[in-house]
Amino acid sequence: MTLILQDKWQKQLPPVDYDHYKALYHAYLNNQLSYLEDIDLFASTGKLIPLRQAKNHAGHRLIICFYQYTGVEASVPTFTASLKSTESVVVTIPTLTLAPGETTLWTIIFTAPMTAFTEGWLVSIDT
C-alpha cells in the first residue's frame, strides 16, 4: 500500500506535519495505530481511517483521515462519507487517481448541526 497526496496537499502541508502523517500511515500498515475515540465514520466505498477532528471558522466539523481505495481498477475516488450521529456527504477527491490499495490523506467537512465533539487527535501510535 502507498500513501499518495493530491498536489494541493503536497504544496500546503508543512514537512513536519507530512512526516507525522507518514508515521501514522506506517503505524496503520503495521497494526500499531490505536483509536483514542471511535467516531463511527464510514465510506460507501473504500475505507476511512479518521485521524484528527476540529471545527473550522464556520463551525463545521472537519475530520482529517486516510482514505484507502479498495476498487479493482484505478479511479478518481468518489464516495459518500457518513457519521452515525449526523449527516452524510458526497466526497470527490479531484485531480487524483488512486490504484487499488493506495491511500490518500483527505479532510471531510460535515456542515449539518452536530452533537458536541472533542477536537484533536483520534489516534495514537502504539509503542
Side-chain angles (χ1 to χ4, degrees), residues 82-100:
S82 54
L83 283 167
K84 186 176 183 181
S85 61
T86 186
E87 71 178 311
S88 295
V89 295
V90 174
V91 178
T92 300
I93 303 176
T95 68
L96 181 70
T97 299
L98 293 177

Side-chain angles (χ1 to χ4, degrees), residues 95-106:
T95 68
L96 181 70
T97 299
L98 293 177
E102 289 182 327
T103 303
T104 193
L105 190 60
W106 201 250

Side-chain angles (χ1 to χ4, degrees), residues 26-72:
H26 290 294
Y28 168 70
L29 292 177
N30 293 313
N31 296 314
Q32 297 173 324
L33 199 61
S34 293
Y35 293 92
L36 303 172
E37 183 180 349
D38 182 4
I39 61 170
D40 293 323
L41 179 65
F42 301 97
S44 57
T45 59
K47 182 176 182 182
L48 289 170
I49 300 94
L51 304 171
R52 183 175 176 86
Q53 62 183 353
K55 286 184 186 174
N56 68 6
H57 64 283
H60 301 142
R61 186 176 189 172
L62 309 177
I63 302 173
I64 298 171
C65 53
F66 290 136
Y67 172 74
Q68 183 178 6
Y69 179 64
T70 58
V72 294

